[in-house]
Amino acid sequence: MFATRNITIGVRTLRPTSFLKTRSFLQQRLQSTLKKSYEPTKSELDIASKMSWEQFLTMRKQQRRLGGIGSIAAAILAMGASFSYFSQIEIDPTETLFGLDIFTVYIGAILCTGFVGFMLGPAVIGDPLFAIINRKNMATFRIKQKLFLKHIAKMRVDASRQSMNNPVPDYYGEKIGSLKDYRQWLRDCNEYRRKAKEFL
């Protein structure tokens, strides 16, 4: 049906054949990702069994919070360091750089370094701090994390069916911090699939 008729939405005409090709490509990428997914060994499963899912999700929430703290701290440190550097430079008020006032360029540079620090904060500060606080459980946590991500990849929805009225619910499960959040995520995924099926 879709291959023989175009679909007109407002002033745009969608060609079903190209839409189906795009959807097929996304499905193939998802299937290939699942095929290459992590397969735990028996010893890893034994190690993972020492930590309950509730404990794991609590640690995962802590890791996310420390990542946010690390982002803020790294942004402040980066902006402070760049401000300290630029404040020692002698500035000619009549001088321009890239056709802009020199003060504007320096302020932009300080903001850019703050943004870079914010992005690198979780990896530079948050994750190492999390590893230090939970050093006794890190081996178990890492295995549990791989199992969790594998399960999320299996249960998550087909993103190619999303629309403005039916957005994808937390595709990577980043906001799941408890069993309650996980159950809500499953309900959101089921609701997404129901809407996607009704639309098609």
Side-chain angles (χ1 to χ4, degrees), residues 124-137:
V124 175
I125 298 177
D127 289 346
L129 182 60
F130 174 78
I132 292 172
I133 294 173
N134 300 282
R135 55 185 176 276
K136 294 181 180 179
N137 298 319

Side-chain angles (χ1 to χ4, degrees), residues 2-21:
F2 289 113
T4 58
R5 187 174 61 181
N6 291 342
I7 303 172
T8 302
I9 301 177
V11 295
R12 296 180 62 189
T13 300
L14 303 179
R15 298 187 181 278
T17 52
S18 61
F19 170 76
L20 292 176
K21 287 179 181 178

Side-chain angles (χ1 to χ4, degrees), residues 23-35:
R23 182 177 168 189
S24 176
F25 170 76
L26 291 172
Q27 289 175 338
Q28 290 175 1
R29 288 292 299 272
L30 178 61
Q31 290 174 357
S32 64
T33 301
L34 293 176
K35 288 178 182 177

Side-chain angles (χ1 to χ4, degrees), residues 47 51 72 81 95 97 120 141 148 162 165 169 171 200:
I47 295 172
M51 179 183 293
I72 296 172
E95 185 182 358
L97 188 62
L120 296 178
F141 176 81
F148 176 77
Q162 69 176 321
N165 296 325
Y171 191 72
L200 294 177

Side-chain angles (χ1 to χ4, degrees), residues 15-185:
R15 298 187 181 278
T17 52
S18 61
F19 170 76
L20 292 176
K21 287 179 181 178
T22 304
R23 182 177 168 189
S24 176
F25 170 76
L26 291 172
Q27 289 175 338
Q28 290 175 1
R29 288 292 299 272
L30 178 61
Q31 290 174 357
S32 64
T33 301
L34 293 176
K35 288 178 182 177
K36 297 176 182 178
S37 62
Y38 165 71
E39 291 296 336
T41 62
K42 187 178 182 302
S43 61
E44 288 177 329
L45 290 175
D46 292 338
I47 295 172
S49 64
K50 297 178 182 178
M51 179 183 293
S52 68
W53 283 111
E54 189 66 47
Q55 291 173 326
F56 165 75
L57 292 173
T58 301
M59 287 182 65
R60 196 166 185 263
K61 182 186 291 186
Q62 182 190 41
Q63 183 185 33
R64 189 178 177 194
R65 287 176 178 172
L66 290 174
I69 294 172
S71 292
I72 296 172
I76 293 173
L77 289 173
M79 291 177 69
S82 61
F83 176 77
S84 176
Y85 170 76
F86 288 122
S87 65
Q88 295 177 4
I89 299 176
E90 293 184 5
I91 300 174
D92 182 1
T94 61
E95 185 182 358
T96 60
L97 188 62
F98 305 116
L100 298 172
D101 180 71
I102 196 69
F103 290 104
T104 303
V105 175
Y106 285 174
I107 291 172
I110 291 171
L111 293 176
C112 286
T113 55
F115 177 76
V116 172
F118 184 85
M119 297 301 292
L120 296 178
V124 175
I125 298 177
D127 289 346
L129 182 60
F130 174 78
I132 292 172
I133 294 173
N134 300 282
R135 55 185 176 276
K136 294 181 180 179
N137 298 319
M138 281 307 296
T140 307
F141 176 81
R142 289 193 181 98
I143 297 173
K144 207 80 171 178
Q145 176 86 315
K146 292 178 182 178
L147 293 172
F148 176 77
L149 294 177
K150 178 184 178 182
H151 181 74
I152 291 296
K154 179 181 178 182
M155 300 300 294
R156 66 189 174 197
V157 297
D158 181 1
S160 65
R161 296 187 178 185
Q162 69 176 321
S163 64
M164 292 293 292
N165 296 325
N166 193 24
V168 175
D170 194 10
Y171 191 72
Y172 295 102
E174 295 176 342
K175 298 179 181 178
I176 299 175
S178 65
L179 292 177
K180 181 181 178 181
D181 294 339
Y182 171 71
R183 295 188 188 99
Q184 183 60 49
W185 180 78

